[in-house]
Amino acid sequence: MRILLAVLLAISALLIPTTTAQADAALTPYCGITWGSLPKSNTDMGTGEVDNVRTGRHDCYDRVVIDIDGPPAGYHVEYVDTVTADGSGFPVNTPGGAKLQLVARHPSYAPIPLGTPLANVAGYTTLRSVVYAGSFEGQTTYGVGTRARLPFRVFTIPGGHGRIVLDVAHRW
């Protein structure tokens, strides 16, 4: 009986560090990302016009950049069931397993049809589409299709030609 108890204690001592290490790894955020997936907003309105929309791939996230002809101002980004067009509220086809509606609080005067793809995201880890969803009353909306509902962050880069940046993590 004493030998059996000693063997059980030895086995449990070997398993505890492994279990603790696995638990610690599970609690460590992916690439240090702690962004979350709730809506993010800045209500400031800008006067600079949207110049361009582009994308980029990084080790831990995919990126959408909105270039502004002037200092960047506000935005509103959130996961939605359906991306809707500015002004009309019409649904805008946004391919992807989840959809982010990105509203830049800047006008766009480019005559682009609703739903027009704005970037080629083939081969991206997270992004599935970036489409135009209209501009109305000084703000411009985009649909960003993602692989799944994943953490994201939004921030601005100041300057005479500023940027609004959306990063979507590759995983939780």
Side-chain angles (χ1 to χ4, degrees):
M1 193 64 144
R2 287 183 185 166
I3 294 173
L4 180 61
L5 184 57
V7 169
L8 289 174
L9 285 173
I11 290 172
S12 66
L14 291 173
L15 292 177
I16 290 173
T18 303
T19 305
T20 303
Q22 289 171 345
D24 289 347
L27 295 175
T28 303
Y30 169 69
C31 288
I33 292 172
T34 58
W35 306 333
S37 63
L38 295 176
K40 293 159 181 65
S41 270
N42 174 336
T43 58
D44 294 341
M45 293 297 289
T47 56
E49 191 177 324
V50 173
D51 271 350
N52 190 31
V53 176
R54 53 197 168 90
T55 60
R57 296 187 296 176
H58 297 268
D59 289 340
C60 300
Y61 53 87
D62 290 345
R63 174 170 281 180
V64 177
V65 178
I66 300 173
D67 293 315
I68 308 296
D69 183 15
Y75 52 81
H76 180 81
V77 183
E78 70 177 311
Y79 280 103
V80 295
D81 293 330
T82 303
V83 173
T84 56
D86 258 337
S88 69
F90 292 136
V92 176
N93 184 35
T94 307
K99 296 154 183 50
L100 284 164
Q101 183 152 327
L102 187 164
V103 178
R105 304 215 191 268
H106 291 271
S108 174
Y109 299 111
I112 303 171
L114 293 178
T116 298
L118 300 175
N120 179 0
V121 293
Y124 280 54
T125 304
T126 297
L127 295 180
R128 297 295 180 258
S129 63
V130 179
V131 300
Y132 180 73
S135 189
F136 185 72
E137 293 187 347
Q139 66 181 27
T140 305
T141 301
Y142 302 94
V144 178
T146 62
R147 175 175 55 78
R149 185 179 176 131
L150 294 162
F152 68 94
R153 69 177 173 182
V154 187
F155 60 94
T156 59
I157 297 175
H161 290 278
R163 297 173 201 91
I164 298 173
V165 179
L166 166 67
D167 291 335
V168 186
H170 291 167
R171 65 182 180 89
W172 281 96

